[in-house]
Amino acid sequence: VDREDQAQLADLMEPLHAADIADLLEQINAYDRKRLIQLYGREFEGEILSELDENIREEVIAILNPVVLAEAVRDLESDDVVDLIEDLEEPQQEAILEALEDSDRIAVEQSMSFPENSAGRLMQREVVMAPEHWNVGQVIDFMRESDDLPEQFYHVVLVDPRLRPVGNVTLGRIMGSPRNVQISDLMEETFEAFSADLDEEDVAYAFNQYHLISAPVVDGNGRLVGVITIDDAMAVLDEEHEEDILRLAGVGEESSLSDRVMDTTKKRFPWLAVNLVTAILASLVIAQFEETIAGFVALAVLMPIVASMGGNAGTQSLTVAVRALATRDLTGSNVWRVIRRETLVGLINGAVFAIVMALIGIVWFGSPLLGAVIAISMVINLVVAGLAGTIIPIVLDKLKIDPALASGAFVTTVTDVVGFFAFLGLAAMILL
Amino acid sequence: VDREDQAQLADLMEPLHAADIADLLEQINAYDRKRLIQLYGREFEGEILSELDENIREEVIAILNPVVLAEAVRDLESDDVVDLIEDLEEPQQEAILEALEDSDRIAVEQSMSFPENSAGRLMQREVVMAPEHWNVGQVIDFMRESDDLPEQFYHVVLVDPRLRPVGNVTLGRIMGSPRNVQISDLMEETFEAFSADLDEEDVAYAFNQYHLISAPVVDGNGRLVGVITIDDAMAVLDEEHEEDILRLAGVGEESSLSDRVMDTTKKRFPWLAVNLVTAILASLVIAQFEETIAGFVALAVLMPIVASMGGNAGTQSLTVAVRALATRDLTGSNVWRVIRRETLVGLINGAVFAIVMALIGIVWFGSPLLGAVIAISMVINLVVAGLAGTIIPIVLDKLKIDPALASGAFVTTVTDVVGFFAFLGLAAMILL
């Protein structure tokens, strides 16, 4: 790029997949990105746009020549166009919609009428369907005559006369069967149709659970309106996981490396603020025992250990609980067993670390009583951590609050408060 | 089940998908599970076994009648059998291998000869391939005559005379083309072949990055030995994510709700032990300032706040860094930009919380100097948190240590030590 050699750039980019070019564009800085795109020039694959992070995508669309942009989006399937434009600002959306052919624009606009993160947004409109009474030969002839088959499809969706999907037939089974076989005899055993307003998270769960490859989407009247393919479901699953990880760490949604400093700062701020409140609550507990600490400064040295162990054990339990809720492995039928298990785990690990800490207390400070105090409070806090780490996510989930987002703050508050209170309270009773 | 009504049970289970039956078996307790399986009796779908958690699977296989078990595994594709047996104990493995037909057994044994978590273990042996010089008609006739097509396949793999894959053709394109078209003219643009000993994580990454649906696997000589389909890649991706989340929380690998109490206790122990060492290091820092604390007990009340804010900010930065490393978004070309961004974010949030804490320090304890101490140490610790949270995962990754597993302990150590040292050290200098 620095040598402004357009031909060489084209040679270098040629063998790269759109996804890799998108990654490349994300990783270089804004100035180089602009120069690269202007030099790359004439052609710009629509797929590259699909693969870009939102922020960068807006930037790139603003740089691109409108003619090149129109060309780029025209290649894309309807679901990719929806995915591309749903996060853009109004004027950019309009520009792209106008570049589409009429039929495509209507398809995209219809998809956009479904709620965000719904099956309707995820689906592609291009569906290969056949009446259920056809035979294999009719289906093959129909496909051969059709000159507008989607790029990628894996099933023929069988529909009844009212266009309601009744089953899926894999292309493999069609090709492996003689022409006179009834197509409906080849239907797959597992068949799921999704309502267009279903949450995409539920769609991804079903794809993963039932090993689906593609599934039809129906409108309110049960009529076929589109099809979702596994690669889109995989992308959703990937995104949901990413969100869960980031939420558990208090980073907020859709955080990415290409966010600007102020955006990142703002996204992380709320969680730190919540943590500050938590920490202050813990400090208020400590403040109740100022006299105890003044009388025995070793307490100040050791007290963070109890709280920190509780916080870690709580995080372990809550992460397992949050994941089990997300994968629907934690249900009414095993909730008591899980709570009992976490409590027992806390008790056993608490007992082990209690012994270790008692020894450290005795060796370091020469006080068996101090050892006893830290040992007892360690057991108490690890049991509480196991209980709180399991019960808090379950309760939040029941209250329809995302447990990945909110559990951490609550569990840490509990383990900090209990940790300091148990340790300093016992110390006040036993040592003074 | 309690009424031992076999017919009714069969009716209830009939409409359920194997994956749902597996979930059901996982959620009930061991006693009910045994009775349910014995009552369910004669038939047992192999797929249910595939879907079960390891621990439960061993238990179920031990309960199942050998004849029923043999029946169950014979239906499965070779990759599912591999997945089923690779975690079983020797004798159970043998029993299942003996139940297979000779050709299947050999296929499974060959797959088992590849390293764990490799593409070779993930692939299915059943491949539909065609010589690259055939035309569409020949391919269709070949498939129609073959009576052993896999259950699910999406591509015909074109091979050269040495059985080396040269491209993929989607079934859709074959069906949409006239019989006399050269099959090699229909090849897909994006084509990836994986070496059998490639790590399954890399395979899943490539599927997600390039939107692959299926991809051939080759041996050391480049010859086609199997094919990996997207549903298997999706399962790997799901597992990897799960592992990353659990590792970040220090829960250890393959933790699941069906683990027994002692297993869970043991898995969580190492992380808690590491945390104990970290906490003791922090305590050693505090111990250096015992006199300072004795002179000014308010320090003991406030000091956990600085450490806790640093720990949280560090976790935020490290989670973003660990994810960016996993998704390969963080590379040599943007590492300095990311470090600079994280430092700036730490500086800005640090400044905001410094002001808040200074006010709290003044109002609560009436000491502007204490306010200044906590404010300055807050800024220092949040900047350090941003730096450590980014640099530590990157360094661990360079050293080939899984950053998801190890970063947390290091980052917390840094933020605890720096937090206590900055706060108490400044207090010693300024207040006394």
Side-chain angles (χ1 to χ4, degrees), chain A residues 240-365:
Chain A
E240 294 288 336
H241 270 296
E242 197 70 32
E243 267 179 36
D244 270 2
I245 295 182
L246 295 177
R247 282 182 188 168
L248 276 170
V251 181
E253 292 165 55
E254 300 187 53
S255 212
S256 83
L257 286 190
S258 56
D259 283 353
R260 287 174 194 83
V261 171
M262 279 318 294
D263 292 340
T264 309
T265 308
K266 276 189 217 151
K267 278 183 191 159
R268 297 199 189 161
F269 183 86
W271 179 256
L272 290 173
V274 169
N275 182 62
L276 183 63
V277 175
T278 300
I280 289 174
L281 279 177
S283 291
L284 287 174
V285 173
I286 301 172
Q288 305 308 310
F289 298 97
E290 273 194 54
E291 282 173 38
T292 319
I293 295 172
F296 210 87
V297 182
L299 295 177
V301 175
L302 291 175
M303 69 183 187
I305 295 180
V306 178
S308 148
M309 292 296 281
N312 267 274
T315 304
Q316 291 179 333
S317 295
L318 95 84
T319 305
V320 171
V322 166
R323 290 309 305 157
L325 287 167
T327 57
R328 305 180 201 187
D329 287 333
L330 182 56
T331 61
S333 63
N334 58 359
V335 59
W336 290 111
R337 225 155 352 109
V338 172
I339 292 174
R340 199 186 60 201
R341 191 190 67 160
E342 292 295 324
T343 313
L344 276 174
V345 170
L347 191 63
I348 300 171
N349 271 332
V352 175
F353 287 109
I355 296 168
V356 175
M357 279 314 299
L359 293 176
I360 291 176
I362 294 166
V363 172
W364 190 352
F365 293 96

Side-chain angles (χ1 to χ4, degrees), chain A residues 17-33:
Chain A
H17 188 279
D20 292 328
I21 298 180
D23 283 351
L24 176 72
L25 286 173
E26 284 170 13
Q27 284 167 17
I28 60 184
N29 64 40
Y31 176 70
D32 284 344
R33 190 153 51 229

Side-chain angles (χ1 to χ4, degrees), chain A residues 17 19-20 23 27-29 51 140 143-144 149 152-154 170-172 174-179 188 190 205 208-211 213 230-231 234 237-238 241-242 245-246 248-251 256-257 259 261-262 264-265 268-269 271-273 275-276 279-280 283-284 286-287 290 293-294 297 300-301 303-305 308-309 312-313 316-317 319-320 323-324 328-331 333-334 337-338 341-342 344-345 348-349 352-353 356-357 360 364-365 420, chain B residues 17 19-20 23 27-29 51 140 143-144 149 152-154 170-172 174-179 188 190 205 207-211 213 230-231 233-234 237-238 241-242 245-246 248-251 256-257 259 261-262 264-265 268-269 271-273 275-276 279-280 283-284 286-287 290 293-294 297 300-301 303-305 308-309 312-313 316-317 319-320 323-324 328-331 333-334 337-338 341-342 344-345 348-349 352-353 356-357 360 364-365:
Chain A
H17 188 279
D20 292 328
D23 283 351
Q27 284 167 17
I28 60 184
N29 64 40
E51 301 284 346
I140 293 181
M143 283 199 271
R144 224 171 258 158
L149 291 177
Q152 297 273 355
F153 70 107
Y154 317 104
T170 66
L171 297 181
I174 298 178
M175 304 198 73
S177 307
R179 289 182 63 92
E188 284 207 289
T190 307
Y205 172 79
N208 200 19
Q209 172 86 340
Y210 303 123
H211 303 285
I213 296 298
I230 186 174
D231 53 326
M234 194 170 174
L237 192 76
D238 199 41
H241 270 296
E242 197 70 32
I245 295 182
L246 295 177
L248 276 170
V251 181
S256 83
L257 286 190
D259 283 353
V261 171
M262 279 318 294
T264 309
T265 308
R268 297 199 189 161
F269 183 86
W271 179 256
L272 290 173
N275 182 62
L276 183 63
I280 289 174
S283 291
L284 287 174
I286 301 172
E290 273 194 54
I293 295 172
V297 182
V301 175
M303 69 183 187
I305 295 180
S308 148
M309 292 296 281
N312 267 274
Q316 291 179 333
S317 295
T319 305
V320 171
R323 290 309 305 157
R328 305 180 201 187
D329 287 333
L330 182 56
T331 61
S333 63
N334 58 359
R337 225 155 352 109
V338 172
R341 191 190 67 160
E342 292 295 324
L344 276 174
V345 170
I348 300 171
N349 271 332
V352 175
F353 287 109
V356 175
M357 279 314 299
I360 291 176
W364 190 352
F365 293 96
F420 289 128
Chain B
H17 188 278
D20 293 327
D23 283 350
Q27 284 166 16
I28 61 184
N29 65 39
E51 301 284 346
I140 293 182
M143 284 199 272
R144 222 171 258 160
L149 290 178
Q152 298 272 355
F153 70 107
Y154 316 103
T170 65
L171 297 181
I174 297 178
M175 302 196 76
S177 305
R179 288 181 65 92
E188 285 206 288
T190 307
Y205 171 79
F207 267 82
N208 200 19
Q209 173 87 340
Y210 304 122
H211 304 286
I213 296 299
I230 185 175
D231 53 325
M234 194 169 174
L237 192 75
D238 198 41
H241 268 297
E242 196 71 29
I245 294 182
L246 295 176
L248 276 170
V251 181
S256 82
L257 286 189
D259 282 353
V261 171
M262 279 318 294
T264 308
T265 308
R268 298 200 188 160
F269 184 84
W271 178 257
L272 291 173
N275 182 61
L276 184 63
I280 290 174
S283 292
L284 287 173
I286 301 172
E290 274 193 55
I293 295 172
V297 183
V301 175
M303 69 182 186
I305 295 180
S308 149
M309 292 297 281
N312 267 274
Q316 292 180 332
S317 295
T319 306
V320 171
R323 291 309 306 155
R328 305 180 202 187
D329 287 333
L330 181 57
T331 60
S333 63
N334 57 359
R337 224 155 349 113
V338 172
R341 191 190 68 162
E342 293 296 323
L344 276 175
V345 170
I348 300 172
N349 272 331
V352 175
F353 287 110
V356 175
M357 280 313 300
I360 291 176
W364 190 352
F365 294 95

